[in-house]
Amino acid sequence: MTRKRFYYPFILMAVLAIVAAACGDDEPATTAAPATTAAPTTTAAPTTTAAATTADTEAPTTAEATTTTPPTTQPPQIDEGDVMRAPDRVQDAETVVIAWTGYPNSLDPPDSLLNFNREAGVGLYDRLLTYSLTEREDGTFVWDGLGVAPGLAESWEIDGGSVTFTIRQGVTFNKTGNPLTAHDIRYSFVRAIEVPGFGTFNSNLAGIFEPSRQVTVIDDYTIRFDYELADGTPFLLKASLPSMRFPIFGIVDSVELQARATDEDPWGHEWIKENPEGSGPYVIESATPGTEMILRRVPGHWTEGDQNQLGEAYNGFDRVIYRTLSSPADITALMLGGEVDVAFALGTRELNALGEAGFTIVNAEIPDIWRLDLPLTTPPFDNLAVRQALAHAVPYDTIVENAFTNATRSYSIVNPASPSYIPAWDYDTDLDRARELLAEAGYPDGFSTELFYTQERQEWEDIALFLQASLSQVGIDVALRPLPATEYQEQTTARYDDATLMAGIQMRSGLIWLDDADPNVGLWLVTRGFPGPVGVGGFSNATHYSNIEIDKLHFENRFNPDLEARAEAYREAQRIAARDLPMIMLAVRGFPGAVHPEVTGVAFTADPHLRQYLLRPAG
């Protein structure tokens, strides 16, 4: 990895000159080659005391506008001649400590709106299939495109649109000891579309619309999935089997949840939010909501030893401690003190400092797409010329080159590896053009607004400062509104239905779990609640953008077996959205993190949640 060293007083003094001198030339867009599709292989715990957090129903209280004072945390001063080694770990050899910047508000697998929910879930629950992984020389693992590997399903047979899975025998649920059978798998998939979260969206993405009809138990350890297109035509989509790897499809104890059901809560959702009912490699040893969650390995879990493709890689730490910390500076300080082993919520400065201090810096090209969501129902953002002015006032090069360790400019909401990707967002930094557009829109002196973002990593704050400085040059006064990670995600979720929340510019990032345009368009661009052939669209449409042409392109083509016609439909959706500008694209970045050299086994997967059960002592 190439490390860049920055001294922020210099950067923020220079940023005004950088953005003022920006030229009008477009940067060349780089289109990544489509990802190779890997063929599928045919082959009593304590309960958590975690309290669920309720999303606020009112707009967050805002503080005074943040100024452009540079961040105060600096990398530790290191003599160039020193031979650096990471500090000794404080914890014992059987324990690993991972930094979080927030905390789960639900441990129900489909209720996965927070990253922390999903990351806890990959250890607490098993899934039908897992990722096919390749181990790299540095001890990290990288997912093999759309490839899948055995999970609870030991093997499977494909017959057209139907897949018959043979279920691993001898697996039991950790808390109750109940045997896990095909009945639990069917119940989990039927239940996934009935409880809050992404269950319906991801089920439909896989070709499951009516699980009660499409999932059939053959016997206790054999189950058949009949995948379909939206019109009911039997069809195995490229996403059908890969979707089975996702955290939202964790298998739950049907016997226990049915016993917990009430008339008001027939699926036991309120119970399992705080009391996981899974068969995963870990159980919760203790939990202090908002502060710490400790997981304890389940002895004899099926993932140990030679029973899985990764063999010894699963023989990892007995205890995993997730510690919620308030800032990247706090995380860095604790890592330098030997108290935290693994962290991904870090910016360039922190990664540079930890790398120089002897930590291992790991990374993979996960397509994390950063953007600005604009509140289209709130003036002046309902004016297209204003949105265009903003697009020309963004300092793209400054952000990509200075805020990230590993990033390129983003030209679309779609994963660059998707066959339907086009670089539609070809706006360049042109401050003179931005001023002209503001004058045309009736705002010759600019206007004031707010920029909302999470405090999860330092990059967010750095980008906010760059944006604030650049937009001020065209008369747009931006007050910075950082929020704690969990509160930010909850407020974002509430905004989907209440446009008055965070009614300013919202900085967001989206990690794309499949090399396909369907999730991005369906989640971010389709009209919120648009009644498609199955379900509704716009689940994560925080801009409240609505264009009936995009709605039709999406729902008429997402399951189109004519792949080139399908790809062209999504290209047209990108062209329309780039013209209408409900959002401004910033960057595509990888997923760098810092790991103590005595810890190895970090896995990079398309859903970017750390597989804690793969971590193990190095050497």
Side-chain angles (χ1 to χ4, degrees), residues 325-347:
L325 300 168
S326 60
S327 71
D330 290 342
I331 294 171
T332 303
L334 289 176
M335 294 190 81
L336 291 172
E339 297 183 52
V340 171
D341 301 309
V342 182
F344 283 84
L346 299 169

Side-chain angles (χ1 to χ4, degrees), residues 399-427:
I399 290 170
V400 168
E401 294 172 6
N402 298 306
F404 295 100
T405 300
N406 179 280
T408 57
R409 183 168 166 193
S410 174
Y411 292 91
S412 177
I413 65 164
V414 172
N415 179 352
S418 169
S420 55
Y421 166 88
I422 57 170
W425 271 257
D426 58 352
Y427 296 88

Side-chain angles (χ1 to χ4, degrees), residues 459-477:
E459 290 143 321
W460 297 93
E461 180 73 16
D462 295 343
I463 294 171
L465 291 169
F466 290 133
L467 287 167
Q468 185 185 54
S470 186
L471 269 59
S472 71
Q473 298 302 290
V474 299
I476 301 175
D477 180 28

Side-chain angles (χ1 to χ4, degrees), residues 94-114:
E94 297 303 321
T95 301
V96 64
V97 180
I98 302 169
W100 267 350
T101 55
Y103 195 85
N105 67 0
S106 175
L107 297 173
D108 190 348
D111 188 4
S112 55
L113 295 175
L114 302 187

Side-chain angles (χ1 to χ4, degrees), residues 490-536:
E490 290 176 341
Q491 289 288 332
T492 297
T493 301
R495 178 173 163 73
Y496 299 151
D497 291 314
D498 185 351
T500 66
L501 295 176
M502 294 197 293
I505 302 170
Q506 188 181 3
M507 185 161 37
R508 301 183 67 186
S509 72
L511 290 148
I512 312 309
W513 296 4
L514 293 170
D515 296 338
D516 189 76
D518 178 344
N520 314 71
V521 173
L523 286 170
W524 302 342
L525 295 180
V526 168
T527 302
R528 173 76 171 170
F530 183 83
V534 288
V536 296

Side-chain angles (χ1 to χ4, degrees), residues 604-619:
F604 293 97
T605 56
D607 64 280
H609 308 104
L610 189 65
R611 265 59 186 174
Q612 65 284 97
Y613 53 82
L614 288 175
L615 297 177
R616 63 193 190 278

Side-chain angles (χ1 to χ4, degrees), residues 349-397:
R349 282 175 301 168
E350 292 80 22
L351 290 169
N352 287 346
L354 291 167
E356 291 173 350
F359 284 82
T360 304
I361 307 302
V362 297
N363 188 34
E365 297 299 321
I366 292 176
D368 185 5
I369 301 176
W370 291 55
R371 68 186 192 272
L372 300 177
D373 276 6
L374 306 178
L376 300 195
T377 59
T378 303
F381 301 101
D382 55 350
N383 187 313
L384 177 59
V386 168
R387 302 197 298 273
Q388 292 172 335
L390 280 168
H392 285 298
V394 170
Y396 301 104
D397 289 351

